[in-house]
Amino acid sequence: MQGAHLLLSSVILALACSFASASDPDPVQDFCVALNDTKTGGLFVNGKFCKDPKLADAGDFFFSGLDKPGNTSNPVGSKVTPVAVNEIPGLNTLGISLARIDFLPYGLNPPHTHPRATEILVVVEGTLEVGFVTSNQQDGSNKLFTKILNKGDVFVFPVGLIHFQFNRGHYNALAFAGLSSQNPGVITIANAVFGSDPHINPDVLTKAFQVDKNIIDYLQKQFWSDNS
Amino acid sequence: MQGAHLLLSSVILALACSFASASDPDPVQDFCVALNDTKTGGLFVNGKFCKDPKLADAGDFFFSGLDKPGNTSNPVGSKVTPVAVNEIPGLNTLGISLARIDFLPYGLNPPHTHPRATEILVVVEGTLEVGFVTSNQQDGSNKLFTKILNKGDVFVFPVGLIHFQFNRGHYNALAFAGLSSQNPGVITIANAVFGSDPHINPDVLTKAFQVDKNIIDYLQKQFWSDNS
Amino acid sequence: MQGAHLLLSSVILALACSFASASDPDPVQDFCVALNDTKTGGLFVNGKFCKDPKLADAGDFFFSGLDKPGNTSNPVGSKVTPVAVNEIPGLNTLGISLARIDFLPYGLNPPHTHPRATEILVVVEGTLEVGFVTSNQQDGSNKLFTKILNKGDVFVFPVGLIHFQFNRGHYNALAFAGLSSQNPGVITIANAVFGSDPHINPDVLTKAFQVDKNIIDYLQKQFWSDNS
Amino acid sequence: MQGAHLLLSSVILALACSFASASDPDPVQDFCVALNDTKTGGLFVNGKFCKDPKLADAGDFFFSGLDKPGNTSNPVGSKVTPVAVNEIPGLNTLGISLARIDFLPYGLNPPHTHPRATEILVVVEGTLEVGFVTSNQQDGSNKLFTKILNKGDVFVFPVGLIHFQFNRGHYNALAFAGLSSQNPGVITIANAVFGSDPHINPDVLTKAFQVDKNIIDYLQKQFWSDNS
Amino acid sequence: MQGAHLLLSSVILALACSFASASDPDPVQDFCVALNDTKTGGLFVNGKFCKDPKLADAGDFFFSGLDKPGNTSNPVGSKVTPVAVNEIPGLNTLGISLARIDFLPYGLNPPHTHPRATEILVVVEGTLEVGFVTSNQQDGSNKLFTKILNKGDVFVFPVGLIHFQFNRGHYNALAFAGLSSQNPGVITIANAVFGSDPHINPDVLTKAFQVDKNIIDYLQKQFWSDNS
Amino acid sequence: MQGAHLLLSSVILALACSFASASDPDPVQDFCVALNDTKTGGLFVNGKFCKDPKLADAGDFFFSGLDKPGNTSNPVGSKVTPVAVNEIPGLNTLGISLARIDFLPYGLNPPHTHPRATEILVVVEGTLEVGFVTSNQQDGSNKLFTKILNKGDVFVFPVGLIHFQFNRGHYNALAFAGLSSQNPGVITIANAVFGSDPHINPDVLTKAFQVDKNIIDYLQKQFWSDNS
């Protein structure tokens, strides 16, 4: 139960984590600093409303604290700290964001996709095993592109593809990632499939994974408590 | 083993299946009929080269055979027949495609994403349970949006989100789907995660799914043979 | 008068009909369910405002009734039933829509354009003569691309080009179409040119069509009553 | 016959004429000067191949001759001189073009659409009656937006909508237009509908315009010779 | 002081002046006439809110007065009169704008960039020396593309690059320019670098231009008064 | 002379440096690994041709060496090490890139723009004074947004705006930047204006900066040798 709880936590973090979106719509002014949702009278738009540009200041383009490690005491042993439009309102309409990713020894940023962003990652400390899997190919396969990264190495995870980062070393690891969207989104596969709220019909998952239903039950129980 | 083989087959079909991409780049001429890859001398572009527009004819915008059911004799009991840029070269640069999806009783189009397309589906025959799961929310949950669809019902699966369609009835089911890309792509979750070529490091999956390694081994064996 | 009235009706339907837009702007969140215009206090945006995402449910992505034929008792003997952002609010920002098109024997979906969408059409029942005309070529011609479609055939109408579908058979015909915009728009040529409100200066049309003014008068009278 | 011939001529000119496209894809380098189609070995792309950027010079961004009136001796009494990617190779990937439009007294730039461009027009000499028609509205109407323009007046024709410009004065008129595409395209309605090559099935047009077939025959004969 | 004041003035005009943006986001309806900012209750969006489309009329797409020369009595001897979304609300979402540029003898439209637009310029009267500079090349150079333009000549300034227009003749000059954005923006280099409000740290500029600090002081004083 | 030489060097580096593009066109397949220009037979496209996707491997998405400081022994005392499409061919079509920026004490990344990218920067070591200047405002001013950044601070520089980073501390500084384009481009203001090849007509610059011609001469001499 607790393991599951931890996984879920890591999912939340992962959210911020590793994204980069291919093409947010273009701005048609210098900037459009996001207005807090609570000030828009129940209206929402694709992206965010902007505050009056005359009221914008340098603080709207600023975020502090990326020097501090994220809290990695969770089942997967990793923590993503996002710096996207929710953290820097000035990013609205500008099509990019950033993240810091911390890993304990053997910590994992589990398989996930960013529906709206390509991610480019640089390793600052440690050794990571990283990879992404292509969409279904015409020969029926899904190709894994994988690499061991050391300090100073850079790797690219194309938009929408499933990918992961795993700390292979005995020491903590640290990476920064650029993501090509102001709001890349993250879908952690295990949680979205087995831990959605409400749960997906177990008959669907049993058939999809071609396993006994009790394995699906077990997996769904793992993740259920996370949402409560 | 065979079940796995069948799953894999269904994945290949699924590939064509249910996609619609949000925003392929715009055309800058009336059309750009795709040239066969074998005629481009080893060069490729984002999308496809076009044939000489003077040589285009109505056949380049035409496809035949969507009246015939796909072959659903596979472990998941469903079959997607895509009509995308590989099937109709005239779709190149135009940002849309189509698919026919057949289901045996209890047939499943298993959980998958289209990295480049929103899908809009209409049920022509039968009863389907369908659903999609949102990306990770700020409260740590992934919301499931699900619905039972009958003949004449329409449902939308937003770009990049995990979704599925499951035949709940005792009879065959049939649906058509529009997808917002000339080449939506499909990532069948089970195959991409457990059946990639080569396999993802099982330590990664064991930690990601918080299960015993033998379950991961079992799942990876299921899908391994598919790629051989 | 009545014939004209009927034509006009068919135009209205056609509106829904056969469109598919090339590239609506990209979403920057999972979805942005359209808010009803009456709730936005007189404000409008490109596309639609979204409702609070926390209040979205599966019903926002759902539409019912595409199993029922449209009412084809009109002069052109065809009826388009659209499923676009006005019918499914969840389509907002997602760049795709759908339509059902019914045809009486010899029914016609008259020449029209979709300013924001490519259309991909599949014939479910009957035999259609379809075609599109290219924009002015360098040699001064406008090429017609035409084809007879039978059950299961698919055809593509590129964005912005004039096209039509005509039931050649003795029986009713039925088709579904995917369109590459949430709001493709439709411009029925005859109505826009001869039946606009107010009418285009008849001197303009007389010169444009190189015909006697009384033919233009006749055509404009045909369509005038439609707008009253 | 000759009238028709002249109309056709005006169509060709119109091609150049009045366009402005909403959103060609973005460039990913400073420029991409178009390479002549004859040098690409039978390959084509969306837009144009670029020449080696090291070989680009100022001449690639230059066009001469827009001070000279176009030849307006044709049935519609107007002439469009385009300056688009075919005239200035440096416009490739940059999403804009220009045109000069000359009008005899009572000369007409006949109803047409630009499938890929909004047009913004400034009157340099003379008095023009201009207008555009909206796509089909929910109340079944197509609204005409019309205005008399004098020297120094500017008017906007939104992408994809049918529009025209008519010289109301006793003197020649002159206008310049910006268009939002490198290759806006132009569809002159009369020619595309009645003069396509080959002709549209006259049964289609008879039903579409709700007129006697002999009127359609007459119109099609008008435009037929143009393509020979 | 006064010279500086005039320069600044010319900058303001230049703002309107010579721009054309590469790709504003696409419209998803026929048009979206900009609503005045004062009517939106403190809310802003990327671009502009639209007024109720039912209330739009031809006046929303119209601007008058481009036949009158701009006021060129300023230090640079040129004046740009913009016709963009602030001047024509109907341009909102349509990705294009226009400008008139007047030059005294030896008048200069000083080096500037348009962050969101390519510009295409036609000379109506006079002789202009024009040019643009590429971004930093791999060999460390910035290439100047320059040309003398006479009446009827057209030139293209790619999006985001520094460019200028200089009247070489003894007479006034006049040009029109199309720009590929509804709101191209203009950054006049001298003013943005030496006359920003507040001033850039002079240590930054001294090092950037590799000159004595007193030259920077002099330049900053030139432009300081402009903002008061 | 040497100072100038050094400045130029810093320009070259800056090129790579600090960029982030707003919206490269979208990919229509999983990836499109850039093919080396020497293998395309003299053909170029917007962006890059792709290699055969079957031949892509993990190395195409990988870059090594960002752990090493750039060579800052130049007049501005800073060095940008870019990781864009020229360094990682797998970035082609994916709309993002990365850079490492090193600063000596009082080192400066001089005022520059990225015509195709927003930049988001995180400080890893040291203290930077950073800023950007808006485009010309309606009141004639260019607003400076400036901030002192310490370790762990993040700042955003919107696409196309002039910006700089200056090391205020006594120690070396280090930053990483994400940029929203595969090829953001960089225009170092001083070099583009005073050091272009060939030089801009000094009459233009004298008038633009409202200074004595000998100051312009001096500045142009500074930068001239750099291009030889």
Side-chain angles (χ1 to χ4, degrees):
Chain A
M1 206 80 115
Q2 184 168 10
H5 181 80
L6 291 186
L7 208 218
L8 209 271
S9 303
S10 85
V11 165
I12 301 174
L13 327 175
L15 200 165
C17 125
S18 50
F19 15 27
S21 112
S23 75
D24 287 8
D26 274 336
V28 290
Q29 60 273 311
D30 285 359
F31 48 72
C32 166
V33 173
L35 200 62
N36 194 303
D37 287 349
T38 60
K39 299 181 182 173
T40 63
L43 293 180
F44 295 78
V45 287
N46 185 23
K48 300 275 186 179
F49 286 101
C50 339
K51 66 192 283 191
D52 186 337
K54 293 191 205 74
L55 306 180
D57 63 27
D60 292 321
F61 299 87
F62 174 76
F63 175 86
S64 180
L66 225 48
D67 53 325
K68 299 184 194 74
N71 179 359
T72 50
S73 56
N74 57 52
V76 293
S78 81
K79 170 71 179 172
V80 178
T81 307
V83 186
V85 71
N86 285 334
E87 287 76 30
I88 300 192
L91 281 173
N92 192 34
T93 76
L94 296 179
I96 196 163
S97 57
L98 205 71
R100 174 191 172 117
I101 318 178
D102 291 282
F103 302 84
L104 288 180
Y106 305 103
L108 172 70
N109 188 2
H112 61 282
T113 72
H114 304 297
R116 291 176 294 278
T118 289
E119 175 179 352
I120 180 167
L121 174 140
V122 55
V123 177
V124 175
E125 290 296 341
T127 298
L128 295 177
E129 175 183 358
V130 303
F132 67 83
V133 179
T134 66
S135 69
N136 303 352
Q137 303 296 294
Q138 298 199 324
D139 64 355
S141 68
N142 298 83
K143 299 280 166 67
L144 173 68
F145 286 64
T146 187
K147 196 92 182 166
I148 303 294
L149 304 184
N150 293 301
K151 188 176 176 176
D153 289 352
V154 179
F155 203 76
V156 175
F157 306 96
V159 56
L161 302 189
I162 297 176
H163 60 286
F164 63 87
Q165 295 116 16
F166 183 43
N167 183 359
R168 289 289 295 268
H170 300 275
Y171 304 98
N172 287 348
L174 169 62
F176 287 104
L179 299 142
S180 61
S181 173
Q182 67 176 54
N183 179 29
V186 65
I187 301 172
T188 306
I189 299 301
N191 265 67
V193 171
F194 297 107
S196 67
D197 174 18
H199 272 171
I200 292 175
N201 178 342
D203 291 345
V204 166
L205 299 180
T206 302
K207 190 160 243 177
F209 289 88
Q210 303 278 315
V211 292
D212 284 348
K213 194 168 178 181
N214 61 358
I215 292 181
I216 298 300
D217 287 346
Y218 174 75
L219 282 161
Q220 289 195 320
K221 273 189 200 119
Q222 289 278 95
F223 290 93
W224 184 260
S225 56
D226 291 299
N227 300 318
S228 60
Chain B
M1 206 77 114
Q2 183 168 12
H5 182 79
L6 292 186
L7 208 218
L8 211 270
S9 303
S10 83
V11 165
I12 301 174
L13 327 176
L15 201 164
C17 128
S18 49
F19 14 27
S21 112
S23 76
D24 288 7
D26 274 335
V28 289
Q29 59 273 312
D30 286 357
F31 48 71
C32 167
V33 173
L35 200 62
N36 194 304
D37 286 350
T38 60
K39 299 181 182 172
T40 63
L43 293 180
F44 294 78
V45 288
N46 185 22
K48 300 275 186 178
F49 286 101
C50 340
K51 65 192 284 190
D52 186 337
K54 292 191 206 75
L55 305 180
D57 63 28
D60 291 323
F61 299 88
F62 174 77
F63 175 85
S64 180
L66 225 49
D67 53 325
K68 299 184 194 74
N71 179 359
T72 51
S73 56
N74 58 51
V76 292
S78 80
K79 169 71 177 173
V80 178
T81 307
V83 186
V85 70
N86 285 333
E87 287 75 29
I88 300 191
L91 281 173
N92 192 34
T93 75
L94 295 179
I96 196 163
S97 57
L98 205 71
R100 173 191 173 118
I101 318 177
D102 291 283
F103 302 85
L104 287 180
Y106 304 103
L108 171 71
N109 187 2
H112 62 281
T113 72
H114 304 297
R116 292 176 294 277
T118 289
E119 174 179 353
I120 180 167
L121 174 140
V122 54
V123 178
V124 175
E125 291 296 341
T127 298
L128 296 177
E129 176 182 358
V130 303
F132 68 83
V133 179
T134 66
S135 69
N136 303 353
Q137 303 297 294
Q138 298 199 324
D139 63 356
S141 68
N142 298 83
K143 298 280 167 68
L144 173 68
F145 286 65
T146 186
K147 196 91 181 167
I148 303 294
L149 305 183
N150 294 301
K151 188 176 176 176
D153 288 353
V154 179
F155 203 77
V156 175
F157 306 95
V159 57
L161 302 188
I162 297 175
H163 60 286
F164 62 89
Q165 296 116 16
F166 183 43
N167 183 0
R168 288 289 294 268
H170 300 276
Y171 304 98
N172 287 348
L174 170 62
F176 286 104
L179 299 142
S180 62
S181 174
Q182 68 176 52
N183 179 27
V186 64
I187 301 171
T188 306
I189 299 302
N191 266 67
V193 172
F194 296 108
S196 67
D197 173 18
H199 273 170
I200 292 175
N201 179 342
D203 291 345
V204 166
L205 298 179
T206 301
K207 191 160 241 177
F209 290 89
Q210 303 278 315
V211 292
D212 283 349
K213 194 168 179 182
N214 60 358
I215 292 181
I216 299 299
D217 287 346
Y218 174 75
L219 282 161
Q220 289 194 320
K221 274 188 200 123
Q222 289 278 95
F223 291 92
W224 183 260
S225 55
D226 292 300
N227 299 319
S228 60
Chain C
M1 205 81 114
Q2 184 168 9
H5 181 81
L6 292 185
L7 208 219
L8 209 271
S9 304
S10 83
V11 165
I12 301 172
L13 327 174
L15 202 164
C17 128
S18 49
F19 16 26
S21 112
S23 75
D24 289 7
D26 274 336
V28 289
Q29 59 272 313
D30 284 359
F31 48 72
C32 167
V33 174
L35 200 61
N36 195 304
D37 287 349
T38 61
K39 299 181 182 171
T40 63
L43 293 180
F44 294 79
V45 287
N46 186 22
K48 301 273 185 182
F49 286 100
C50 340
K51 65 192 284 190
D52 186 336
K54 292 192 205 73
L55 306 180
D57 63 29
D60 292 322
F61 299 89
F62 173 76
F63 175 86
S64 180
L66 224 48
D67 53 326
K68 299 183 195 73
N71 179 0
T72 51
S73 56
N74 58 50
V76 292
S78 81
K79 170 71 178 171
V80 178
T81 307
V83 186
V85 71
N86 285 333
E87 288 75 30
I88 300 191
L91 282 173
N92 192 34
T93 75
L94 296 179
I96 196 163
S97 57
L98 205 69
R100 173 191 172 118
I101 319 178
D102 290 284
F103 301 84
L104 288 180
Y106 305 103
L108 172 71
N109 188 1
H112 62 280
T113 72
H114 304 297
R116 292 177 293 277
T118 289
E119 174 180 350
I120 181 167
L121 174 140
V122 55
V123 178
V124 175
E125 290 296 340
T127 298
L128 295 177
E129 176 182 357
V130 303
F132 68 82
V133 179
T134 65
S135 68
N136 304 352
Q137 303 297 295
Q138 298 200 323
D139 63 356
S141 68
N142 297 84
K143 299 280 168 66
L144 173 69
F145 286 64
T146 188
K147 197 90 181 170
I148 304 294
L149 304 184
N150 293 301
K151 188 175 175 177
D153 289 353
V154 179
F155 203 78
V156 175
F157 306 96
V159 57
L161 302 189
I162 297 176
H163 61 286
F164 63 88
Q165 295 116 16
F166 184 42
N167 183 359
R168 288 290 294 269
H170 300 274
Y171 304 98
N172 287 347
L174 169 62
F176 286 104
L179 299 142
S180 62
S181 175
Q182 69 177 53
N183 178 30
V186 64
I187 301 173
T188 306
I189 299 301
N191 265 67
V193 171
F194 297 108
S196 67
D197 176 17
H199 272 169
I200 292 176
N201 179 343
D203 291 346
V204 165
L205 298 180
T206 301
K207 190 162 242 175
F209 289 89
Q210 303 277 313
V211 293
D212 284 347
K213 195 168 177 179
N214 60 358
I215 291 181
I216 299 300
D217 287 346
Y218 174 76
L219 281 160
Q220 289 194 321
K221 276 191 198 116
Q222 288 278 95
F223 291 93
W224 183 260
S225 56
D226 292 300
N227 300 318
S228 60
Chain D
M1 206 82 113
Q2 184 170 9
H5 182 81
L6 291 185
L7 208 219
L8 210 271
S9 303
S10 84
V11 165
I12 300 173
L13 327 175
L15 202 165
C17 132
S18 48
F19 15 27
S21 110
S23 76
D24 288 7
D26 274 336
V28 288
Q29 60 273 310
D30 285 358
F31 48 71
C32 166
V33 174
L35 200 62
N36 194 303
D37 288 349
T38 61
K39 300 181 182 170
T40 63
L43 292 180
F44 294 79
V45 287
N46 186 22
K48 301 273 185 181
F49 286 101
C50 338
K51 65 193 283 190
D52 186 336
K54 291 190 207 74
L55 305 180
D57 62 28
D60 291 322
F61 299 88
F62 174 75
F63 175 86
S64 180
L66 225 49
D67 52 326
K68 299 184 194 74
N71 179 359
T72 50
S73 56
N74 58 50
V76 292
S78 80
K79 169 73 179 170
V80 178
T81 307
V83 186
V85 71
N86 285 334
E87 287 75 30
I88 300 191
L91 282 173
N92 191 34
T93 75
L94 295 179
I96 195 162
S97 56
L98 205 70
R100 173 192 173 118
I101 319 179
D102 291 283
F103 301 84
L104 288 180
Y106 305 102
L108 171 71
N109 187 2
H112 62 281
T113 71
H114 304 297
R116 292 177 293 279
T118 289
E119 175 181 351
I120 181 168
L121 174 141
V122 56
V123 178
V124 175
E125 290 297 340
T127 297
L128 295 177
E129 176 182 356
V130 304
F132 68 82
V133 179
T134 65
S135 69
N136 304 351
Q137 303 297 294
Q138 298 199 323
D139 64 357
S141 68
N142 297 84
K143 298 280 167 66
L144 173 69
F145 286 64
T146 187
K147 197 90 181 169
I148 303 294
L149 304 184
N150 293 300
K151 189 176 174 174
D153 288 353
V154 179
F155 203 77
V156 175
F157 307 96
V159 58
L161 302 189
I162 297 176
H163 60 286
F164 62 88
Q165 295 116 17
F166 183 43
N167 183 0
R168 289 289 294 269
H170 300 276
Y171 304 97
N172 288 347
L174 170 62
F176 286 105
L179 300 142
S180 62
S181 175
Q182 68 177 54
N183 179 28
V186 63
I187 301 172
T188 306
I189 299 301
N191 266 67
V193 171
F194 297 108
S196 68
D197 175 16
H199 273 170
I200 292 175
N201 179 343
D203 291 345
V204 166
L205 298 180
T206 301
K207 190 161 242 175
F209 289 89
Q210 303 276 313
V211 292
D212 285 348
K213 196 169 178 180
N214 61 357
I215 292 181
I216 298 300
D217 287 346
Y218 174 76
L219 282 161
Q220 289 194 320
K221 275 190 198 119
Q222 288 278 95
F223 291 94
W224 183 260
S225 56
D226 292 299
N227 300 319
S228 61
Chain E
M1 206 80 114
Q2 184 169 10
H5 182 79
L6 292 186
L7 208 219
L8 210 272
S9 304
S10 84
V11 164
I12 301 172
L13 327 176
L15 201 165
C17 131
S18 49
F19 13 28
S21 112
S23 76
D24 288 7
D26 275 336
V28 289
Q29 60 273 311
D30 284 359
F31 49 71
C32 166
V33 174
L35 200 62
N36 194 303
D37 287 349
T38 60
K39 299 181 182 172
T40 63
L43 292 180
F44 294 78
V45 287
N46 186 23
K48 300 275 185 179
F49 286 101
C50 338
K51 63 192 284 189
D52 186 336
K54 292 191 206 74
L55 305 180
D57 62 29
D60 291 322
F61 299 88
F62 174 76
F63 175 85
S64 180
L66 225 49
D67 53 325
K68 300 184 193 74
N71 179 359
T72 51
S73 55
N74 57 51
V76 292
S78 80
K79 170 72 178 172
V80 178
T81 307
V83 186
V85 70
N86 285 335
E87 287 75 30
I88 300 192
L91 281 173
N92 192 35
T93 75
L94 295 179
I96 195 163
S97 57
L98 205 72
R100 173 192 171 117
I101 318 178
D102 290 283
F103 301 84
L104 288 180
Y106 305 102
L108 171 70
N109 187 2
H112 62 281
T113 72
H114 304 296
R116 292 177 292 279
T118 289
E119 174 181 351
I120 181 168
L121 174 141
V122 55
V123 178
V124 175
E125 291 297 339
T127 298
L128 296 176
E129 176 182 356
V130 303
F132 67 82
V133 179
T134 65
S135 68
N136 304 352
Q137 303 296 295
Q138 298 200 323
D139 63 356
S141 68
N142 297 83
K143 298 281 167 66
L144 173 67
F145 286 65
T146 188
K147 197 91 183 169
I148 303 294
L149 303 184
N150 294 300
K151 188 175 174 176
D153 288 353
V154 179
F155 203 76
V156 175
F157 307 95
V159 58
L161 302 189
I162 297 176
H163 61 285
F164 62 88
Q165 295 116 18
F166 183 42
N167 183 359
R168 289 290 294 269
H170 301 275
Y171 303 98
N172 287 348
L174 170 63
F176 286 104
L179 299 141
S180 61
S181 173
Q182 68 176 52
N183 179 28
V186 64
I187 301 171
T188 305
I189 298 302
N191 266 68
V193 172
F194 297 108
S196 67
D197 174 18
H199 273 170
I200 292 174
N201 179 344
D203 291 345
V204 165
L205 299 180
T206 301
K207 190 161 244 177
F209 290 88
Q210 302 277 313
V211 292
D212 283 349
K213 194 167 180 182
N214 60 357
I215 291 182
I216 298 299
D217 287 345
Y218 174 75
L219 281 161
Q220 288 194 321
K221 274 188 199 121
Q222 288 278 96
F223 291 94
W224 183 260
S225 56
D226 291 299
N227 300 319
S228 60
Chain F
M1 204 81 114
Q2 182 167 12
H5 182 80
L6 291 184
L7 208 218
L8 209 272
S9 304
S10 83
V11 165
I12 301 173
L13 327 175
L15 202 164
C17 125
S18 50
F19 16 27
S21 110
S23 75
D24 288 7
D26 274 335
V28 290
Q29 59 273 313
D30 285 359
F31 48 72
C32 166
V33 174
L35 199 62
N36 195 302
D37 288 347
T38 61
K39 299 180 183 173
T40 63
L43 294 179
F44 294 79
V45 288
N46 186 22
K48 300 274 186 182
F49 286 100
C50 340
K51 65 192 283 189
D52 186 335
K54 292 191 205 74
L55 305 180
D57 63 28
D60 292 321
F61 300 88
F62 174 76
F63 175 86
S64 180
L66 226 47
D67 53 326
K68 298 184 195 73
N71 179 359
T72 51
S73 57
N74 57 51
V76 293
S78 81
K79 169 72 178 172
V80 178
T81 307
V83 186
V85 70
N86 285 334
E87 287 75 30
I88 300 192
L91 281 173
N92 192 35
T93 77
L94 295 180
I96 196 163
S97 57
L98 204 71
R100 173 190 173 117
I101 318 179
D102 290 284
F103 302 83
L104 288 180
Y106 305 102
L108 172 70
N109 187 2
H112 62 281
T113 72
H114 304 297
R116 291 176 294 277
T118 288
E119 174 179 351
I120 181 167
L121 174 141
V122 55
V123 178
V124 175
E125 290 297 340
T127 298
L128 296 177
E129 176 183 356
V130 304
F132 67 83
V133 179
T134 65
S135 68
N136 304 352
Q137 302 296 294
Q138 298 200 323
D139 64 356
S141 69
N142 298 83
K143 299 280 167 67
L144 172 69
F145 286 65
T146 187
K147 197 90 182 169
I148 303 294
L149 304 184
N150 294 300
K151 188 176 175 176
D153 289 352
V154 178
F155 203 76
V156 175
F157 307 96
V159 57
L161 302 189
I162 297 176
H163 60 286
F164 62 88
Q165 294 116 17
F166 183 43
N167 183 0
R168 289 289 295 269
H170 301 275
Y171 304 98
N172 288 348
L174 169 63
F176 287 104
L179 299 142
S180 61
S181 174
Q182 69 178 54
N183 179 29
V186 65
I187 301 172
T188 307
I189 299 301
N191 266 66
V193 171
F194 297 109
S196 67
D197 175 18
H199 272 169
I200 293 175
N201 179 343
D203 292 346
V204 165
L205 298 179
T206 302
K207 191 161 241 176
F209 288 88
Q210 302 278 313
V211 292
D212 285 347
K213 194 168 178 179
N214 61 357
I215 292 182
I216 298 300
D217 287 346
Y218 174 76
L219 281 161
Q220 289 194 321
K221 274 190 201 116
Q222 288 278 95
F223 291 92
W224 184 259
S225 56
D226 291 299
N227 300 318
S228 59

